[in-house]
């Protein structure tokens, strides 16, 4: 159950948000090896944010997954997400952090139970 939350100080309209969500969902499913039917992606724009003492366009992401994360894939995920944000929102790759969290299934609720 990969879940990605993105936050940025760049305004994000509904059309751009839909494109980013779609592109991120596909990338996560492909790189983590999970069905896209379990992928959840959200994005919040226009959030006050400072990165390196600057309010230039920046973003922060948190990616949680039950398995599928690790040294071999995290760099690919970071590159793919940074590429999407750069293409869609003109956020430089050097102004994007992403936190990876590989969790145990019993710590994730879904459909009234846990995994």
């Amino acid at each position: 159950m990969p879940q990605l939350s993105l936050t940025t100080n760049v305004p994000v309209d509904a059309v751009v948000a839909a494109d980013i969500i779609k592109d991120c969902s596909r990338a996560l499913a492909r790189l983590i090896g999970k069905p896209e039917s379990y992928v959840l992606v959200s994005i919040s724009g226009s959030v006050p944010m400072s990165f390196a003492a600057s309010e230039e366009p920046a973003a922060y992401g948190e990616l949680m997954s039950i398995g599928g994360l690790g040294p071999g894939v995290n760099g690919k995920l970071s590159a793919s997400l940074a590429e999407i944000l750069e293409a869609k929102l003109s956020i430089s790759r050097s102004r994007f952090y992403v936190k990876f969290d590989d969790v145990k299934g019993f710590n994730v609720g879904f459909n009234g139970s846990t995994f």
Side-chain angles (χ1 to χ4, degrees):
M1 191 232 129
Q3 186 271 324
L4 174 66
S5 298
L6 294 169
T7 306
T8 180
N9 58 354
V10 176
V12 181
D13 68 30
V15 173
V16 172
D19 284 346
I20 291 169
I21 288 168
K22 178 183 66 179
D23 291 351
C24 288
S25 182
R26 277 194 214 129
L28 293 176
R30 177 177 50 84
L31 292 168
I32 295 175
K34 304 272 185 173
E36 194 171 1
S37 60
Y38 283 105
V39 176
L40 173 67
V41 178
S42 64
I43 185 165
S44 298
S46 299
V47 176
M49 182 179 299
S50 173
F51 187 114
S54 166
E55 294 179 15
E56 292 298 313
Y60 173 71
E62 290 189 358
L63 175 57
M64 182 267 303
S65 182
I66 300 169
L69 301 178
V73 72
N74 291 3
K76 294 174 187 174
L77 286 163
S78 183
S80 182
L81 296 173
E83 180 180 321
I84 292 166
L85 293 175
E86 193 169 48
K88 304 289 183 180
L89 297 177
S90 300
I91 296 171
S92 169
R93 294 167 183 254
S94 66
R95 295 188 55 78
F96 170 60
Y97 278 141
V98 59
K99 175 185 170 186
F100 299 100
D101 191 12
D102 195 350
V103 300
K104 303 284 186 206
F106 61 81
N107 285 324
V108 179
F110 173 72
N111 199 21
S113 186
T114 60
F115 284 91

